[in-house]
């Protein structure tokens, strides 16, 4: 049952359990397979996900043979906290979880890849930046 692995922001810490992790692991080859199919047909594909550099190793294995560019969207911690505070329940994470998540992705800032700071940009502007980079 897929619902068994669902983890909402509400009670995230207690909802992220072994079944959730197992289903997340299953989603990686499914998502990368879709990207491969799109690319094979000449269609650009953007995969939006939260992944630490360590987590991305699983994705890299599945992306072998795919021509991709990794771009990390990394707004400031203050921006992430402000955006999260504007979310409605149940999508809002605890301040502690936001701090932890941001701390976990900070290694991307020094990973030698393209990092886009979206602190001062709306979603529409970020999309335009990414589209321009892909052309």
């Amino acid at each position: 049952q897929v619902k068994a692995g669902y983890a909402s922001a509400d009670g995230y810490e207690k909802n992220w359990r072994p079944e959730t992790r197992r289903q997340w692991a299953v989603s990686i080859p499914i998502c990368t397979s879709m990207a491969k199919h799109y690319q094979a047909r000449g269609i650009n594909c953007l995969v939006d996900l939260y992944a630490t550099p360590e987590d991305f190793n699983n994705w890299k294995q599945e992306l072998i043979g795919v021509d991709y560019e990794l771009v990390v969207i990394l707004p400031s911690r203050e921006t992430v906290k402000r955006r999260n505070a504007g979310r409605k329940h149940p999508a809002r994470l605890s301040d502690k979880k936001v701090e932890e998540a941001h701390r976990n992705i900070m290694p991307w800032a020094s990973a030698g890849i393209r990092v886009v700071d979206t602190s001062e940009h709306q979603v529409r502007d970020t999309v335009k930046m990414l589209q321009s980079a892909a052309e």
Side-chain angles (χ1 to χ4, degrees):
Q1 177 184 21
V2 174
K3 178 69 175 166
Y6 175 76
S8 67
D10 183 30
Y12 178 87
E13 291 83 0
K14 70 178 181 198
N15 287 329
W16 191 259
R17 46 190 187 269
E19 180 64 15
T20 311
R21 285 182 186 82
R22 188 171 75 82
Q23 290 176 27
W24 175 253
V26 168
S27 73
I28 296 171
I30 292 169
C31 185
T32 55
S33 175
M34 288 177 60
K36 289 174 187 178
H37 286 288
Y38 275 98
Q39 189 176 72
R41 287 159 181 80
I43 301 170
N44 287 332
C45 182
L46 173 72
V47 178
D48 178 16
L49 67 119
Y50 171 87
T52 65
E54 183 179 298
D55 294 336
F56 191 69
N57 287 328
N58 296 326
W59 287 82
K60 284 194 301 191
Q61 287 298 109
E62 294 292 335
L63 287 167
I64 291 173
V66 175
D67 182 25
Y68 70 92
E69 178 184 3
L70 176 62
V71 177
V72 175
I73 298 172
L74 187 61
S76 70
R77 181 173 45 105
E78 293 75 23
T79 299
V80 174
K81 288 173 70 175
R82 185 182 73 248
R83 289 174 181 169
N84 182 63
R87 292 180 176 154
K88 295 182 186 216
H89 180 77
R92 185 175 178 197
L93 295 170
S94 69
D95 289 342
K96 177 184 171 191
K97 196 63 183 171
V98 170
E99 292 277 347
E100 178 186 332
H102 196 269
R103 186 174 49 255
N104 289 341
I105 62 170
M106 281 309 296
W108 284 120
S110 60
I113 59 163
R114 186 161 164 217
V115 175
V116 177
D117 180 350
T118 60
S119 298
E120 303 300 320
H121 302 284
Q122 299 296 323
V123 172
R124 179 179 0 155
D125 301 325
T126 301
V127 170
K128 285 180 184 175
M129 290 169 47
L130 293 173
Q131 286 173 329
S132 294
E135 295 173 354

